[in-house]
Amino acid sequence: MKNENYDIVIIGGGPAGIASAYAAKKHFNHVLIIERKDCLGGILEQCIHDGFGISRYNEELSGPEYARKEIAKLDNIDVALNANVYAITKDDELIKLSYYAPDGVHHIVAQKLIIATGCRERSAKEITILGTNPSGVYTAGEAQYYINIMGKLPGKRVVILGSGDIGLIMARRLTLEGAKVIGVYEIKNCPSGLERNIVQCLKDYDIPLHLSTTISSVKGRKKLTSVTTVKVDENMKHIEGSEEEIECDALIISAGLIPVNDMMKKLGLKMSPRTKGPIVDEHYMSSVPNVYCVGNALHVHNLVDDVSYTGERAATFAKDNLKERELIDVTFDEHISYVVPEVFDIKNIPPLVDFALRVKEEMKNITLKIYADEEVIFQRKYVKLLPPEMLLVKAKIKDDMKMKKIHLAIEKEDK
Ligand SMILES: Cc1cc2nc3c(=O)[nH]c(=O)nc-3n(C[C@H](O)[C@H](O)[C@H](O)COP(=O)(O)OP(=O)(O)OC[C@H]3O[C@@H](n4cnc5c(N)ncnc54)[C@H](O)[C@@H]3O)c2cc1C
């Protein structure tokens, strides 16, 4: 049994945790990353397609290449691999956590904590599909692991439910490996994934995307033999008579990602019903002082570059010992589905504030404005915004600026 003291501990060794660690090392002596898998890199290890690091490195890297570049920045940082946190508490000052690893049980006391545990996929059990319980039903991430890490094909005739980015990427990957992807079926009337993935992963390979369509049931005693698709109306109700049975041996579900929040719940962090992650202020600090949250554990990001950025920012903020906080709610108009940060600490306003947001529906020729009381602190025009595209904007704050209200508005050009 080992008792250890750290200035800052980071749970999760994906890109968010790695960036948190090397940024923290500039300000703290003793930094520890706790990762439950046997290597650092997080989900990137199985993402062998390119498209990572465009803004950070000005290159189109594969996931593992991006991870290698980030891991190379870690210097003199303790890393616990195959490590599982089984207890975590916080008293007035300190965070106490215990984990077991191959070399035994460790009890840690830390001044600060960054949660960077990533997100998980919505599983088949979380979606209502009637019928039998055959093998051959995978989440898109499972199918990706199967092909890219284990070198196995999950099926030869494949149906994809949900048009999330991982599902789209898998449609292309399966096609390149010789499988027939019959189609992608999306219950909403617009795709969930990025436009570039619709083009590069579906259109370029003639894979049909069926909007306003879902899968109502699956068949197969041991192994999946077919699925039944059905069209839905504007209230997402099944349209009787539109059913179609499709023979297939694999169903891949790509129906959304949710922050991994078990550590947050153990620590009693206030959670956001909108993002399913914790509520943080502009320092990425949660409702529990000195506990921060970054990357996909905070809310689901599109780009790894943005994920790494949040890690660096939170670790840099963590060096400050802030005055007692005074939190106000960040408000936004009806076109926006969520904004992070959801609260704003008006006693400790930094010179640069990050706002991440998504719109509810497609919007064209609009201006995003951020108001501090009546003053506009940020404004930018956009030709087009889509719900799948997360926007990360940075607002400069004047020295000693005081405010009682922060509001984000989307204004149409004809206003
Ligand atoms: C299929 C796919 C394709 C993508 N394509 C692109 C792309 O083309 N371009 C791009 O920029 N981005 C892309 N992304 C997004 C990018 O990969 C993710 O945004 C990024 O990896 C998220 O980083 P993270 O550190 O927040 O989470 P993760 O990478 O998920 O890392 C979280 C880590 O925390 C660990 N962990 C979780 N819980 C615990 C615990 N209790 N104790 C210890 N460790 C724990 C996990 O094991 C994991 O290693 C893609 C993502 C996926 C899934």
Side-chain angles (χ1 to χ4, degrees):
M1 203 186 301
K2 300 174 182 68
N3 292 300
E4 292 142 281
N5 284 299
Y6 281 93
D7 299 317
I8 186 161
V9 168
I10 296 140
I11 304 180
I18 295 166
S20 303
Y22 61 68
K25 189 63 196 174
K26 293 181 188 152
H27 313 288
F28 299 98
N29 283 328
H30 298 111
V31 181
L32 169 70
I33 305 178
I34 300 175
E35 167 56 52
R36 66 180 170 195
K37 290 199 280 201
D38 61 0
C39 64
L40 296 177
I43 194 75
L44 293 178
E45 288 305 309
Q46 64 183 69
C47 300
I48 61 168
H49 59 282
D50 63 7
F52 297 83
I54 297 170
S55 70
R56 213 168 173 77
Y57 293 107
N58 215 7
E59 276 184 87
E60 289 218 31
L61 302 167
S62 69
E65 282 170 339
Y66 182 93
R68 295 291 91 79
K69 277 189 184 270
E70 289 288 296
I71 291 167
K73 296 180 191 169
L74 296 174
D75 185 24
N76 205 9
I77 287 164
D78 289 352
V79 179
L81 296 175
N82 296 304
N84 277 292
V85 177
Y86 65 87
I88 184 160
T89 55
K90 175 161 189 308
D91 61 22
D92 284 348
E93 294 294 324
L94 299 170
I95 295 126
K96 293 179 184 158
L97 63 86
S98 303
Y99 70 88
Y100 52 87
D103 64 341
V105 170
H106 295 243
H107 298 295
I108 304 281
V109 175
Q111 313 281 329
K112 315 244 166 165
L113 176 74
I114 298 183
I115 299 176
T117 46
C119 62
R120 67 173 179 84
E121 292 173 286
R122 226 178 276 271
S123 68
K125 291 194 180 71
E126 289 167 272
I127 301 162
T128 313
I129 305 177
L130 302 176
T132 52
N133 191 13
S135 66
V137 182
Y138 307 86
T139 67
E142 283 165 2
Q144 188 178 51
Y145 185 83
Y146 220 65
I147 301 184
N148 293 351
I149 306 288
M150 294 171 71
K152 293 186 175 164
L153 205 56
K156 289 194 176 127
R157 278 180 64 79
V158 183
V159 166
I160 299 183
L161 173 62
S163 58
D165 285 310
I166 316 177
L168 302 178
I169 289 161
M170 288 318 294
R172 175 177 64 187
R173 185 83 182 99
L174 283 155
T175 308
L176 289 172
E177 289 301 325
K180 169 78 186 156
V181 178
I182 299 157
V184 175
Y185 296 84
E186 167 58 59
I187 194 165
K188 289 186 283 174
N189 60 5
C190 59
S192 303
L194 296 174
E195 210 165 36
R196 75 162 198 224
N197 284 335
I198 299 287
V199 174
Q200 292 172 8
C201 303
L202 299 189
K203 288 191 178 152
D204 286 357
Y205 293 85
D206 291 327
I207 299 168
L209 169 63
H210 303 271
L211 297 174
S212 302
T213 312
T214 188
I215 287 170
S216 55
S217 65
V218 296
K219 263 194 199 161
R221 281 177 68 81
K222 282 192 176 159
K223 181 93 184 106
L224 181 72
T225 53
S226 71
V227 299
T228 301
T229 64
V230 63
K231 293 202 179 304
V232 297
D233 63 19
E234 56 282 5
N235 301 315
M236 305 234 174
K237 287 236 165 73
H238 293 186
I239 301 173
E240 239 178 87
S242 67
E243 294 84 0
E244 198 185 330
E245 190 170 341
I246 296 171
E247 274 181 31
C248 59
D249 59 1
L251 169 62
I252 290 175
I253 295 174
S254 178
L257 300 164
I258 306 168
V260 171
N261 57 23
D262 45 346
M263 290 298 137
M264 305 166 198
K265 288 190 172 159
K266 277 188 185 154
L267 278 166
L269 270 51
K270 267 193 203 150
M271 303 299 288
S272 161
R274 295 190 188 98
T275 61
K276 311 281 185 270
I279 292 177
V280 295
D281 66 15
E282 71 272 33
H283 307 97
Y284 296 85
M285 195 194 280
S286 71
S287 57
V288 175
N290 295 329
V291 175
Y292 300 78
C293 190
V294 293
N296 281 355
L298 174 57
H299 64 107
V300 176
H301 292 65
N302 297 121
L303 298 180
V304 72
D305 310 66
D306 294 341
V307 160
S308 300
Y309 173 79
T310 64
E312 284 185 290
R313 289 282 282 164
T316 309
F317 284 129
K319 75 176 191 307
D320 301 326
N321 289 315
L322 303 176
K323 287 185 251 166
E324 196 170 324
R325 293 192 287 175
E326 185 179 343
L327 299 174
I328 57 165
D329 285 338
V330 173
T331 59
F332 49 89
D333 72 24
E334 73 277 10
H335 302 297
I336 297 174
S337 59
Y338 74 76
V339 174
V340 174
E342 286 188 44
V343 293
F344 206 83
D345 175 9
I346 53 173
K347 278 257 179 77
N348 300 283
I349 306 172
L352 187 76
V353 177
D354 313 320
F355 292 92
L357 63 133
R358 286 178 197 269
V359 290
K360 274 189 188 153
E361 70 271 358
E362 179 176 325
M363 308 212 65
K364 285 187 175 161
N365 302 319
I366 52 101
T367 303
L368 169 68
K369 287 189 183 168
I370 304 178
Y371 292 90
D373 296 335
E374 304 311 316
E375 195 174 326
V376 176
I377 56 167
F378 174 91
Q379 84 172 58
R380 187 174 295 159
K381 286 187 176 188
Y382 295 90
V383 177
K384 187 160 132 186
L385 287 180
L386 291 165
E389 285 163 12
M390 190 203 90
L391 220 57
L392 180 66
V393 301
K394 295 159 196 179
K396 282 194 184 138
I397 310 278
K398 283 188 273 174
D399 281 353
D400 300 325
M401 187 170 188
K402 302 259 184 295
M403 61 181 89
K404 285 272 171 222
K405 222 171 106 184
I406 284 270
H407 182 76
L408 282 81
I410 287 191
E411 295 174 8
K412 296 202 173 131
E413 237 161 46
D414 55 0
K415 261 196 177 176

